Amino acid sequence: MQESIMEQLWQTSHLQGGNLAYVEQLFETYLTDPNAVSEEWRSYFDKLPSVDGYQGRDVIHSTIREQFEHISQNQRFLAQSGVPVGATSDADKKQTRVLQLINAYRFRGHQEAKLDPLGVWQRPKVEDLDPSFHGLSESDRDLEFQTGSLSFGSEVMKLGDIVDGLQQTYCGSIGAEYMHVVDTRIKRWFQQRMEPVRSDPGYGSETRKHILERLIAAEGLEKYLGSRYPGVKRFGLEGGESLIPCMDELIQRAGHYGAKEIVLGMAHRGRLNILVNTLGKNPKELFDEFEGKKLADSGSGDVKYHQGFSSNVMTEGGEVHLAMAFNPSHLEIVSPVAEGSVRARQTRRADTVGNQVVPIIMHGDAAFAGQGVVMETFQMSQTRGFGVGGTIHIVINNQVGFTTSKQDDARSTEYCTDIAKMVQAPILHVNADDPDAVIFVTQMAMDYRNEFKRDVVIDLVCYRRRGHNEADEPAATQPMMYEKIRKLKTTRNIYAETLIAAGVVTEDDVKHMEDEYRDALDNGEHVVKSLVKEPNKDLYVDWAPYLGHEWTAKCKSSVPLKTVQKLGKQLTHVPEGFSIQRQVSKIVTDREKMTAGALPINWGYGEIMAYATLLNEGHPIRITGQDVGRGTFSHRHAVLHNQKDGARHIALAQISDTQPKFEIYDSLLSEEAVMAFEYGYATTTPDTLVVWEAQFGDFANGAQVVIDQFLTSGELKWGRLCGLTLLLPHGYEGQGPEHSSARLERFLQLSAQHNIQVCVPTTPSQVFHMLRRQVKRPLRKPLIAITPKSLLRHKEATSNLDDLTSGTFKTVLPEKETPDTKKVTRVVLCSGKVFYDLLEKKKTDERDDVALVRIEQLYPFPNESLDETLAQYPKLKHVVWCQEEPMNQGAWYCSQHHMRNALQRLNPKLNLQYSGREASAAPAAGHMSVHIEEQKKLVNDAFEI
């Protein structure tokens, strides 16, 4: 909701009238030295937006006035003076060298920063940072030089002061990498945030007390769990406790900027701590999980450090909904899932910029450097179809991955975060044992994301106090590292001692905070003070209408003829002057004839009409994948391209002024990250038809981890409903082993407990009803659609308008021309394209004794429909299953027991025979001649065995 004028005036009233001169003086002081104003005002000035995209630092007005006074008093002198061309003094040369030194610190200061709390990093000295490298000597330290763009608050400073300031700014507890960014505005932005305060903003007492309280919570939970459940796996945060105040600050600052939802993705390390101390999960629920109590009424459940959670917390900017994504042990795969969920929430809110929904993804150092899906996710970050307005990445850098800590084993890059440079993301390395520095980079990260809407990385350099899990002994493989860790004080202890020494708190204050937190845990109370006990339900999607429905294949999916005709005309309307490519023009003309009933409808028409009718009924649609606008096999053409100027026309997005959103994006060349993104999107928007299409079905196994860990098991493990549809082109046409099979057998092997639907439609009307059924039923189950290639234009693979305006999706489909049931002695069961090869053989040989039956839904298997179909043939003697795939692939092994059971029910004497390719390690032959020979044999066998 937009702020009222009164609210805006009230929020800025302190800047008006008599306060104006005072505020202006404060701002002048802030520009000279940000630490010279109070923390509250400094934070306010830090958050001021840029004007017209300009990122330069504001100029102090008093300096401008002085310059004008100087010019007016020295006009005659300034007019007469001049400098000979080419005259360069030693002082000028040294001035240049000083500016080079400043630049060197900005580029390479991070390499000498004190980032490692263990002190085990061995890093070579950086020559560029030594003044002598630039021809400056110790005797020059007292000489004054121009500071150029250096934001130290003075135009002239002694060299010694410049070097000391650069050391504090770039070589302390923070190592900032931002000079690889091409955009000069971004480089200036970081310089103006870090340099004036020398990377040490000097937080006030209340802020530092709050940081200490969060550290006590982080450490307190780990100690409590360690003493109550010794040796039990929890993948604790010990050594990285600064993550908790970091997260707290991110959430509060995002709320200040107007965020309404924050989606979190993370692996197991520190997850329980985040759930309890950030999201406000009741500790008692966590204790029940540790004690093995079954909390779910159904499903397999999952271990406690894979569980998701959601809650609402209060921030300065209002109530914010937090959602932690469920995830498996497959590290980093949750990242694109969380991004997809964010995009869906932004779409629901019409948040095209990314102000209202913010993603925060936490990573492990080893996984961030090692997992390819990290690169894929970064590559999506600024694309049209997958951008979310920037992500905050936090690397919980334990400096060890399980038992691997040597850099020359773990990676080839200097830092584990270097992959982020591919999208020019700034990287803020910070020593996690300096909580003030952690909060400073946290604020910069969120402010940067808010300003530039791009990804940013916080590298939280910490350590892992225990082994990979609490039952593991790390000293066996990292003896030197763990000798240091055993002697190291905790972050909480170090910070508490610092605050006690500074007089911010007393030892009694610290003890009181610890006791208060432990008492809350003992009592099973929530420990997040900002938690909203009665959340605003408008902040998230209501899934209630989609819960608790029993599986059914039945659904009314037909559409009135008038609706089809009206939409057909709209889909073929091309704007005046829009020049279409010749072959595409024929497709559009043919679709006009199909709408008029002058041509049978083909696959492309049936699919496009399914989308149009769903949009017409108020259902949003999102389609992504490689080449989906046109379709790999040039059948869809949902996006038309003007041959004169390259402009695009998407008829499905222009059905009516009030229609829901239709999105179609050609994706980057990725399967894993894009499918994971769409899974996250589909689990967040139950009313939307979300479709991912593979270029060839063969390539879908590039996303096998998404299929195994999320798509097929997510509902059983986590209770997560998902209606994602996969379109997987499949069919044996002699294109070789990598362009024939969508690996149907793998999906069938993963099928159980009504978890997914596996369909193999063979007519345009079947795909029409299948897609409509996916949305019109209240069920939300993933749909695996094994789609055709050659059938897209097959003369027999057509339907009529009547097939769309009546009927529904048929799980078992007989031939169009019903055979004489009394003559039939052989039934050939099949799925997919092979039906048309069998049909051609039957017609050629005039085999009236054979009936062809297509099983269009292989899972859940349509037992009743198959029984009804087989019962029509009283003289049945032979039943054959025919498939194109090798015997060890396709539907044979996973589905034959269903068919055998059907025959047993019909006539116990009937046996099921197999007709297909012999078992093979490869899906298909690579030579056309071999393919033709195999195909001919399996078709003939179906009629003879």
Side-chain angles (χ1 to χ4, degrees):
M1 185 183 293
Q2 294 294 317
E3 293 178 336
S4 69
I5 297 296
M6 282 301 296
E7 285 175 324
Q8 293 178 21
L9 290 173
W10 179 80
Q11 289 176 6
T12 58
S13 61
H14 55 287
L15 303 179
Q16 311 300 321
N19 294 336
L20 192 57
Y22 171 70
V23 173
E24 198 166 281
Q25 183 58 50
L26 276 176
F27 190 56
E28 295 253 321
T29 305
Y30 163 81
L31 292 176
T32 307
D33 179 7
N35 281 352
V37 300
S38 69
E39 185 183 340
E40 187 177 8
W41 276 110
R42 183 173 69 239
S43 177
Y44 180 83
F45 292 142
D46 281 345
K47 295 172 185 173
L48 288 176
S50 61
V51 178
D52 298 329
Y54 174 69
Q55 294 300 327
R57 192 162 185 83
D58 288 87
V59 179
I60 301 171
H61 289 186
S62 58
T63 304
I64 300 295
R65 288 194 294 270
E66 289 171 6
Q67 288 177 346
F68 276 113
E69 287 176 12
H70 178 74
I71 291 169
S72 65
Q73 293 168 7
N74 297 276
Q75 289 185 34
R76 184 179 301 171
F77 174 76
L78 291 170
Q80 293 174 353
S81 64
V83 179
V85 176
T88 306
S89 67
D90 282 346
D92 291 334
K93 291 177 180 177
K94 285 188 176 182
Q95 175 64 61
T96 302
R97 293 165 185 163
V98 169
L99 297 179
Q100 290 172 341
L101 176 64
I102 292 170
N103 220 33
Y105 269 94
R106 288 168 169 172
F107 266 102
R108 302 194 64 189
H110 60 89
Q111 293 176 306
E112 284 198 357
K114 302 166 187 66
L115 301 175
D116 179 16
L118 302 179
V120 297
W121 283 10
Q122 295 180 351
R123 312 182 79 185
K125 190 166 180 63
V126 183
E127 290 182 330
D128 304 34
L129 305 186
D130 188 339
S132 64
F133 178 85
H134 300 277
L136 299 167
S137 65
E138 188 67 25
S139 61
D140 294 323
R141 283 183 64 86
D142 290 330
L143 296 180
E144 290 191 335
F145 294 94
Q146 295 285 330
T147 56
S149 64
L150 189 63
S151 299
F152 276 1
S154 178
E155 294 182 2
V156 178
M157 291 178 68
K158 290 180 179 179
L159 176 61
D161 293 337
I162 291 173
V163 172
D164 292 345
L166 289 169
Q167 278 282 334
Q168 293 166 17
T169 303
Y170 292 108
C171 301
S173 294
I174 297 170
E177 290 190 272
Y178 62 84
M179 292 298 284
H180 59 279
V181 179
V182 173
D183 193 334
T184 303
R185 298 175 308 135
I186 291 173
K187 288 185 272 200
R188 284 178 178 167
W189 189 89
F190 277 103
Q191 289 158 12
Q192 291 156 12
R193 286 300 297 270
M194 298 178 68
E195 291 170 358
V197 296
R198 314 298 194 270
S199 294
D200 182 8
Y203 293 116
S205 296
E206 289 307 311
T207 299
R208 302 184 86 187
K209 283 180 186 176
H210 181 69
I211 295 171
L212 177 61
E213 183 272 325
R214 293 285 77 203
L215 289 173
I216 287 171
E219 184 181 296
L221 180 66
E222 299 297 348
K223 281 186 173 180
Y224 190 92
L225 294 176
S227 61
R228 185 163 173 173
Y229 308 104
V232 178
K233 283 185 185 181
R234 65 176 189 276
F235 297 98
L237 191 58
E238 290 146 301
E241 291 92 345
S242 287
L243 177 66
I244 298 302
C246 170
M247 285 299 303
D248 183 73
E249 181 63 26
L250 284 175
I251 292 166
Q252 290 298 319
R253 212 164 182 86
H256 169 85
Y257 283 129
K260 300 301 179 189
E261 296 182 77
I262 297 175
V263 178
L264 309 175
M266 72 180 299
H268 46 273
R269 177 76 54 211
R271 189 181 185 91
L272 302 184
N273 215 307
I274 290 284
L275 286 171
V276 171
N277 285 321
T278 301
L279 278 84
K281 181 172 182 172
N282 193 317
K284 188 177 183 308
E285 292 180 19
L286 180 62
F287 302 153
D288 287 344
E289 291 170 8
F290 267 94
E291 289 160 15
K293 296 178 181 177
K294 186 178 179 183
L295 302 178
D297 294 331
S298 61
S300 66
D302 200 353
V303 292
K304 50 194 168 291
Y305 38 83
H306 290 171
Q307 297 294 338
F309 194 76
S310 64
S311 63
N312 286 24
V313 297
M314 188 57 68
T315 71
E316 180 186 337
E319 195 171 336
V320 174
H321 179 65
L322 307 179
M324 169 78 81
F326 291 82
N327 76 291
S329 286
H330 294 62
L331 300 175
E332 296 300 333
I333 192 60
V334 75
S335 300
V337 173
E339 301 284 12
S341 178
V342 169
R343 177 69 178 239
R345 295 164 196 266
Q346 290 174 343
T347 300
R348 179 169 59 88
R349 293 177 172 277
D351 178 17
T352 56
V353 179
N355 287 330
Q356 296 182 52
V357 190
V358 178
I360 301 174
I361 312 291
M362 287 156 274
H363 314 263
D365 50 315
F368 199 67
Q371 295 289 304
V373 72
V374 175
M375 180 281 292
E376 294 183 27
T377 307
F378 271 121
Q379 195 65 276
M380 291 196 295
S381 64
Q382 293 296 312
T383 60
R384 283 190 313 122
F386 307 95
V388 293
T391 299
I392 308 278
H393 299 271
I394 305 172
V395 178
I396 305 169
N397 190 345
N398 298 161
Q399 307 182 56
V400 58
F402 207 153
T403 65
T404 305
S405 58
K406 287 179 68 67
Q407 184 172 329
D408 50 8
D409 290 332
R411 60 182 185 272
S412 298
T413 55
E414 180 178 9
Y415 295 109
C416 64
T417 53
D418 282 354
I419 186 66
K421 293 178 182 176
M422 66 176 279
V423 292
Q424 299 182 46
I427 302 164
L428 304 171
H429 309 279
V430 60
N431 187 323
D433 266 359
D434 186 346
D436 286 351
V438 172
I439 295 302
F440 181 59
V441 300
T442 300
Q443 292 174 344
M444 275 201 297
M446 185 53 76
D447 293 351
Y448 171 84
R449 192 263 177 194
N450 183 67
E451 182 68 36
F452 296 101
K453 297 296 184 285
R454 299 182 70 91
D455 287 34
V456 59
V457 178
I458 298 172
D459 180 17
L460 193 67
V461 184
C462 52
Y463 57 92
R464 194 186 66 196
R465 188 165 285 275
R466 303 184 187 277
H468 177 67
N469 61 64
E470 285 65 28
D472 195 40
E473 176 45 65
T477 50
Q478 276 75 33
M480 308 309 292
M481 175 185 283
Y482 278 87
E483 184 181 356
K484 290 208 169 195
I485 289 174
R486 281 192 292 269
K487 298 174 183 176
L488 200 65
K489 292 180 179 178
T490 67
T491 308
R492 197 275 305 165
N493 278 330
I494 294 169
Y495 196 62
E497 289 173 5
T498 301
L499 297 196
I500 290 169
V504 176
V505 294
T506 65
E507 290 185 14
D508 288 342
D509 293 335
V510 176
K511 183 71 168 60
H512 176 72
M513 288 182 186
E514 292 173 352
D515 292 343
E516 189 177 37
Y517 184 80
R518 188 174 183 88
D519 288 344
L521 293 180
D522 282 335
N523 297 329
E525 298 171 359
H526 293 283
V527 292
V528 174
K529 295 175 182 175
S530 59
L531 185 69
V532 177
K533 300 294 175 60
E534 295 184 9
N536 177 5
K537 294 182 180 179
D538 292 337
L539 291 178
Y540 48 88
V541 175
D542 180 15
W543 278 83
Y546 307 95
L547 299 175
H549 297 283
E550 293 294 324
W551 163 261
T552 177
K554 297 175 182 177
C555 172
K556 184 183 181 303
S557 52
S558 57
V559 178
L561 179 61
K562 286 185 179 179
T563 302
V564 172
Q565 291 172 334
K566 183 191 79 167
L567 293 173
K569 289 178 182 177
Q570 290 174 303
L571 292 175
T572 53
H573 171 74
V574 178
E576 189 175 343
F578 197 95
S579 175
I580 309 175
Q581 194 265 346
R582 183 170 53 84
Q583 286 98 326
V584 179
S585 180
K586 183 180 184 308
I587 289 173
V588 173
T589 302
D590 285 351
R591 287 180 180 173
E592 288 176 345
K593 294 177 182 177
M594 292 173 196
T595 299
L599 272 181
I601 66 175
N602 61 17
W603 190 278
Y605 187 96
E607 182 189 343
I608 290 290
M609 187 55 69
Y611 301 142
T613 54
L614 287 171
L615 290 166
N616 189 56
E617 292 164 13
H619 300 284
I621 295 175
R622 175 182 169 88
I623 306 172
T624 64
Q626 297 150 27
D627 316 302
V628 292
R630 188 198 78 168
T632 302
F633 311 101
S634 202
H635 80 287
R636 185 174 293 120
H637 288 286
V639 181
L640 303 182
H641 299 267
N642 193 328
Q643 300 300 293
K644 292 180 179 178
D645 60 8
R648 305 186 327 145
H649 171 65
I650 304 175
L652 284 165
Q654 299 177 29
I655 289 174
S656 74
D657 294 336
T658 58
Q659 75 170 74
K661 196 174 184 69
F662 175 77
E663 297 179 278
I664 185 165
Y665 297 106
D666 293 337
S667 77
L668 62 157
L669 201 66
S670 155
E671 284 79 36
E672 185 176 18
V674 175
M675 188 192 292
F677 189 100
E678 299 308 327
Y679 172 85
Y681 195 105
T683 56
T684 310
T685 53
D687 61 330
T688 301
L689 175 64
V690 183
V691 177
W692 179 81
E693 182 177 54
Q695 193 177 63
F696 281 81
D698 311 64
F699 306 153
N701 61 8
Q704 197 66 45
V705 64
V706 184
I707 295 164
D708 292 347
Q709 265 55 51
F710 291 95
L711 202 64
T712 59
S713 59
E715 181 179 356
L716 193 70
K717 291 189 295 188
W718 309 317
R720 302 300 291 164
L721 300 183
C722 174
L724 178 62
T725 295
L726 304 188
L727 301 182
L728 308 180
H730 171 99
Y732 283 61
E733 286 126 356
Q735 295 190 61
E738 316 306 337
H739 295 83
S740 299
S741 174
R743 299 286 186 174
L744 171 62
E745 64 279 357
R746 292 185 178 167
F747 292 100
L748 292 175
Q749 183 191 36
L750 293 167
S751 300
Q753 299 173 292
H754 294 125
N755 61 333
I756 60 174
Q757 309 158 84
V758 181
C759 297
V760 194
T762 56
T763 69
S765 63
Q766 281 287 84
V767 75
F768 172 85
H769 292 296
M770 177 190 72
L771 290 171
R772 284 183 51 77
R773 182 184 79 161
Q774 182 68 355
V775 178
K776 300 310 288 185
R777 287 177 308 178
L779 285 169
R780 288 297 173 263
K781 303 276 184 180
L783 168 62
I784 314 302
I786 306 299
T787 55
K789 293 175 286 185
S790 60
L791 296 193
L792 298 173
R793 293 171 184 81
H794 196 288
K795 63 181 186 298
E796 294 281 354
T798 59
S799 301
N800 299 313
L801 287 177
D802 290 346
D803 297 324
L804 310 187
T805 59
S806 61
T808 184
F809 179 76
K810 296 179 175 63
T811 56
V812 176
L813 192 63
E815 301 166 55
K816 273 187 182 179
E817 298 173 9
T818 307
D820 186 343
T821 57
K822 294 177 182 178
K823 292 182 180 180
V824 172
T825 60
R826 175 182 292 262
V827 166
V828 180
L829 303 172
C830 63
S831 286
K833 180 188 78 70
V834 73
F835 166 79
Y836 292 98
D837 297 332
L838 294 166
L839 183 63
E840 183 180 357
K841 166 78 173 173
K842 178 183 174 179
K843 288 182 176 180
T844 302
D845 294 355
E846 297 181 347
R847 291 291 300 269
D848 293 339
D849 62 321
V850 177
L852 305 178
V853 176
R854 286 165 279 182
I855 300 178
E856 302 268 297
Q857 179 178 288
L858 287 165
Y859 189 83
F861 195 85
N863 292 299
E864 292 183 9
S865 296
L866 183 58
D867 287 350
E868 291 172 7
T869 302
L870 293 176
Q872 297 173 28
Y873 308 112
K875 297 183 179 181
L876 194 57
K877 295 179 182 178
H878 304 283
V879 181
V880 180
W881 168 258
C882 182
Q883 66 176 36
E884 296 183 298
E885 301 85 357
M887 180 184 276
N888 59 319
Q889 299 170 34
W892 174 242
Y893 279 143
C894 290
S895 300
Q896 59 174 293
H897 66 287
H898 291 298
M899 293 178 270
R900 292 189 194 280
N901 290 340
L903 298 185
Q904 185 71 17
R905 290 190 293 269
L906 179 68
N907 181 354
K909 294 181 181 180
L910 287 172
N911 288 315
L912 181 67
Q913 302 295 321
Y914 170 80
S915 169
R917 286 176 168 82
E918 293 181 4
S920 170
H927 300 285
M928 179 60 80
S929 59
V930 176
H931 163 76
I932 292 171
E933 184 181 335
E934 290 178 343
Q935 195 77 4
K936 184 177 180 181
K937 182 179 184 301
L938 71 88
V939 171
N940 287 337
D941 285 351
F943 288 84
E944 303 303 332
I945 58 171

